[in-house]
Amino acid sequence: MTDRKTQIVVVGGGAAGLALVRKLAAKHDRATHDIILVEKNRTHVWKPLLHEVAAGSMDANSDEVGYGGHAARWGYRFFNAALERIDRDRRVIVTAPLLDEAGEVVVDRHEIRYDWLVLAMGGVSDDFGIPGVRDHAMFLESRQQADLFRRKMLNACLRANDRKPEGAEARVSVCIVGGGATGVELSAELVNAAKALRSYGLERFDEDTLQITLLEAGPKLLPALPEDVSDKVKGRLAELGVDVRTGAMVTRVGPRAVEVKDGPTIEADLILWATGVRGDHALSKITDLELSKRGQIVVEPTLRSKNDPRIFAIGDCAHCVLPGEERPVPPRAQSAGQMADHMVGQLDRAQKGQPLRDFVYRDRGALVSLSRFATHGSLMGNLIGGKMQIEGRVARLAYQSLYRLHLLAVHGPWRGTVRIAVNAINRVTRPALKLH
């Protein structure tokens, strides 16, 4: 009689979780280990590119990764379900029933045992308890939300184009709350899309038809970047016609209006919320693990949860304060990738009963792309001897390399290189805008 397989369960197929299961499956023999990915969606799109999906400048159908095919290729198991509960005493997770569009059960509630559990469920936008945000604002946390924003945006543009000959008010107003990378990049992508719409049949649609207001509660855009870079980005957005307002604290969101403290109410056809990152609100119901004030799972510097030595957390759902630091590791794509890499060796050490090693976060800088108009950022690391600001073509190449590194992490060196080449071809052959 053979011994039972070691079962490693990863919940969440984002950048961290998907890269982790691929590397674990490549490392371990199927005869001794069972690697399982639990994810509520069936396909993966890299989250930092959701603003391009929302603006229509990226066709997610060409760039997404199907979990089922990826699992078959690399030798792990994919279970399509959302996490409902963790039973730490019995060492099992309980998945919620998977329902179709009509509410019919596709896959019933299941229990999946684990020897080691890694939570990589990502985060959600923090509404800070502001009234009306969850009821009236849209978000960019998933492919489905990005697709919904694109459809509503396109409908609003078509409506405005149709009304112009009648002399009616023919404007599309968009209010984006949050001056981080998502808000800034989406603003620029929408301007780019508006410039291209005339070539796609909206002959009466011009640049002045689209009005974009970008609100940031803090004193400057892009807190992760130096102030002079932030000022350049703000100035470039203003040149593109974006109404950028810093120090604008939102107090309430209505069906078509955003109320700002000590400022005028902003009327908007579409309101998008892209500020702050916190843990999913459902986490407190799913587990009794210690959570931070922002609802993230509190982990030790080793990425192991404080309550259970068999449970780890990585990516945006983890609250990790490293030795000598006051703030937790920032919820960024590079953090998630580095945590996934660290977890491969960490789980190996845990299985062998060896001491765990502290995670080391290496800040490699931050980059922001203003669509085809400009790219700005800063690089950090030993390679350049500290910190260097970049912009223009060099910054654009560095920005594109981030996605290429993600593809290599998800698909491996050979298949990742092929995907990079295919994506380059697709950029040339497919339409500049996705209008369906």
Side-chain angles (χ1 to χ4, degrees):
M1 184 176 178
T2 58
D3 293 333
R4 188 171 67 169
K5 289 183 181 181
T6 298
Q7 202 145 287
I8 301 175
V9 178
V10 178
V11 180
L18 189 57
L20 177 59
V21 292
R22 183 194 72 80
K23 293 175 182 179
L24 289 175
K27 179 181 179 66
H28 294 294
D29 192 327
R30 297 189 199 184
T32 60
H33 284 74
D34 200 4
I35 312 300
I36 301 174
L37 173 65
V38 177
E39 165 62 47
K40 61 185 177 181
N41 297 305
R42 295 180 182 176
T43 60
H44 162 81
V45 176
W46 197 43
K47 195 172 182 179
L49 291 182
L50 286 177
H51 70 280
E52 293 190 20
V53 179
S57 54
M58 172 183 171
D59 185 352
N61 292 327
S62 300
D63 291 83
E64 66 185 356
V65 180
Y67 291 114
H70 191 266
R73 183 176 301 121
W74 289 102
Y76 64 89
R77 286 200 289 148
F78 167 56
F79 197 87
N80 187 197
L83 178 63
E84 184 176 82
R85 183 168 56 87
I86 301 174
D87 188 334
R88 296 199 290 120
D89 294 331
R90 296 171 54 224
R91 210 179 293 168
V92 300
I93 65 168
V94 181
T95 62
L98 180 67
L99 309 178
D100 64 13
E101 294 81 359
E104 297 285 336
V105 175
V106 178
V107 180
D108 213 338
R109 181 178 283 105
H110 274 261
E111 288 189 354
I112 302 174
R113 74 168 183 87
Y114 66 85
D115 294 292
W116 306 96
L117 176 63
V118 182
L119 301 175
M121 297 173 291
V124 298
S125 298
D126 197 342
D127 61 11
F128 302 102
I130 297 173
V133 174
R134 291 286 159 186
D135 295 326
H136 305 298
M138 302 178 71
F139 300 87
L140 280 188
E141 296 159 2
S142 68
R143 158 77 187 276
Q144 293 78 9
Q145 291 176 343
D147 284 339
L148 177 62
F149 181 89
R150 186 186 69 254
R151 290 194 299 269
K152 287 195 172 186
M153 180 71 189
L154 177 58
N155 288 339
C157 293
L158 289 168
R159 192 177 297 117
N161 183 73
D162 186 60
R163 287 180 178 177
K164 269 203 168 184
E166 302 173 3
E169 181 66 23
R171 296 196 183 279
V172 178
S173 55
V174 181
C175 181
I176 301 172
V177 183
T182 298
V184 167
E185 293 182 331
L186 178 60
S187 298
E189 284 293 349
L190 290 177
V191 172
N192 183 42
K195 288 177 178 292
L197 282 175
R198 288 176 65 91
S199 301
Y200 286 81
L202 281 73
E203 297 175 355
R204 293 181 290 272
F205 195 97
D206 54 40
E207 299 172 22
D208 295 333
T209 308
L210 179 63
Q211 296 182 330
I212 302 172
T213 304
L214 177 61
L215 304 180
E216 167 56 42
K220 71 184 186 76
L221 300 179
L222 305 166
L225 289 172
E227 189 165 352
D228 56 341
V229 176
S230 173
D231 290 341
K232 287 181 181 179
V233 170
K234 183 178 180 180
R236 190 70 180 103
L237 287 176
E239 291 173 6
L240 294 174
V242 179
D243 181 6
V244 181
R245 306 184 191 185
T246 54
M249 184 177 296
V250 175
T251 57
R252 179 180 293 274
V253 175
R256 296 171 66 90
V258 178
E259 298 179 17
V260 180
K261 183 179 180 181
D262 301 326
T265 296
I266 299 167
E267 303 292 333
D269 299 305
L270 296 173
I271 302 167
L272 186 117
W273 195 267
T275 179
V277 176
R278 57 159 290 127
D280 194 304
H281 296 276
L283 266 178
S284 59
K285 301 176 182 178
I286 290 172
T287 178
D288 59 353
L289 297 173
E290 182 181 345
L291 302 180
S292 69
K293 291 181 179 179
R294 288 197 168 185
Q296 296 162 303
I297 300 163
V298 178
V299 297
E300 298 170 351
T302 59
L303 304 181
R304 182 171 60 185
S305 70
K306 289 200 170 184
N307 306 89
D308 195 316
R310 296 244 171 200
I311 300 179
F312 297 79
I314 60 176
D316 291 358
C317 72
H319 177 92
C320 178
V321 179
L322 298 176
E325 299 290 335
E326 296 181 359
R327 295 178 176 273
V329 175
R332 297 162 66 183
Q334 61 174 306
S335 311
Q338 292 177 37
M339 286 180 171
D341 290 340
H342 185 73
M343 277 306 306
V344 177
Q346 203 75 310
L347 286 169
D348 191 42
R349 285 183 283 272
Q351 293 175 71
K352 294 175 180 177
Q354 298 174 350
L356 301 182
R357 296 177 183 173
D358 286 354
F359 170 65
V360 178
Y361 173 59
R362 295 177 175 85
D363 187 350
R364 298 191 173 99
L367 295 162
V368 61
S369 172
L370 304 183
S371 187
R372 63 180 176 83
F373 305 110
T375 305
H376 298 272
S378 63
L379 298 180
M380 300 175 67
N382 295 329
L383 182 65
I384 58 174
K387 187 174 184 178
M388 178 178 69
Q389 293 183 21
I390 58 174
E391 59 183 55
R393 186 180 296 274
V394 173
R396 184 63 183 170
L397 290 173
Y399 184 86
Q400 292 171 342
S401 72
L402 297 177
Y403 183 48
R404 290 167 181 165
L405 289 172
H406 169 70
L407 292 176
L408 294 174
V410 168
H411 297 289
W414 186 81
R415 291 183 182 275
T417 301
V418 172
R419 286 295 293 262
I420 291 170
V422 170
N423 286 347
I425 295 171
N426 285 340
R427 289 280 182 181
V428 176
T429 59
R430 68 191 180 201
L433 286 180
K434 179 182 171 71
L435 298 179
H436 59 278

